[in-house]
Amino acid sequence: MLPTWLRLALIGVLAVVVVGNESGLARVWLPQNGRQVPSTVIQEGGRLGAWQFGFEMGTGLRTFMTSSVPHLAALTVALLAWWPYALLAGAAFGAGRAVMPLVRLGWGDGSDWDRRYSIAGRPFRLVTVATTLLAVAGVIQAVT
């Protein structure tokens, strides 16, 4: 096992990369599967399709991500959390990934939803980064 200071340093370095990526100040490629869940899963699957989307993303079956935030959550869990918390984090990630397609599906007009999201995308990304950083700080506080 790595010493605590090194685990915290790795998380800190990745946090800086994530903030840079999400704010647009820098672009650092982070590893991922690179396959997207086809839109037919959501469009033709209805609510079940949205849950399938979340399951595939949460388990890593298809992990093309437009955000680098999940990398920070995954590294924090891998380096600091006990296995039950890792399972909980994976389930929460999968459920969270299902929320967007469920909301888009419930919106009715997918193109209108996409247009509105493109307008609100940057502020939404920054709020997501801020809440993730707070969650990571909470995990660090609880473990150290």
Side-chain angles (χ1 to χ4, degrees), residues 15-114:
V16 170
V17 169
V18 167
V19 169
N21 279 350
E22 299 303 312
S23 66
L25 296 174
R27 192 72 198 149
V28 177
W29 179 86
L30 295 172
Q32 61 180 312
N33 190 334
R35 294 184 301 150
Q36 239 175 341
V37 178
S39 59
T40 55
V41 168
I42 299 166
Q43 293 168 349
E44 297 171 6
R47 288 191 178 126
L48 183 59
W51 287 109
Q52 179 183 344
F53 174 86
F55 174 79
E56 290 185 21
M57 292 296 290
T59 58
L61 293 174
R62 303 187 201 214
T63 56
F64 177 75
M65 294 178 280
T66 58
S67 172
S68 55
V69 170
H71 288 88
L72 181 57
L75 185 67
T76 302
V77 167
L79 293 180
L80 295 178
W82 297 303
W83 70 267
Y85 296 115
L87 292 176
L88 180 62
F93 178 72
R97 290 297 297 187
V99 167
M100 281 293 254
L102 281 171
V103 171
R104 186 179 188 274
L105 184 67
W107 192 265
D109 181 0
S111 61
D112 182 52
W113 167 260
D114 293 342

